[in-house]
Amino acid sequence: GGCWQRCCPGRNNGCWAPGTHRARCYCDSYCQRTGDCCEDYRAACRRAAVGCVVGPWGPWSGCSSPCGVGSRARSRQVTVPPRHGGEPCPDLKQRRGCLGEHPTCGTAR
């Protein structure tokens, strides 16, 4: 059996072929985790793999708290989604702590 024309991204139990000893082998990208890929999986499927590509980080947001401890966030977008078992996308959001220092902090009314 073989994977030609049967490569599937993700976990797809419909992408299988008869393997050795009448057992099924799989042609989905999940087979790499479970170790039950068809012998020609890499040659047939990995060649077409496209890894995730992301854009640059956007600017950090303002501090969520005008006075005291808060957080800032930033994000980025996926420009090319992963296909055919390519590298998954890295984190698209980041958060970090900040200290709000608005001019009105600490003034009594």
Side-chain angles (χ1 to χ4, degrees):
C3 286
W4 296 104
Q5 306 292 324
R6 295 186 184 193
C7 300
C8 301
R11 188 174 196 165
N12 186 335
N13 289 338
C15 301
W16 64 274
T20 57
H21 307 294
R22 297 184 188 175
R24 286 185 178 188
C25 61
Y26 292 87
C27 304
D28 59 349
S29 56
Y30 196 76
C31 74
Q32 295 180 102
R33 292 186 185 179
T34 54
D36 55 2
C37 295
C38 294
E39 289 181 19
D40 63 346
Y41 173 78
R42 287 199 182 275
C45 301
R46 294 295 291 177
R47 190 178 318 149
V50 175
C52 182
V53 178
V54 294
W57 286 107
W60 286 101
S61 68
C63 193
S64 64
S65 174
C67 300
V69 177
S71 63
R72 297 179 186 269
R74 69 178 181 171
S75 63
R76 58 185 173 181
Q77 301 295 315
V78 173
T79 56
V80 178
R83 292 189 302 271
H84 309 297
E87 287 295 315
C89 294
D91 289 338
L92 300 175
K93 295 184 179 185
Q94 286 184 335
R95 186 172 298 277
R96 72 179 183 189
C98 61
L99 185 60
E101 297 178 357
H102 193 271
T104 60
C105 295
T107 59
R109 291 186 179 193

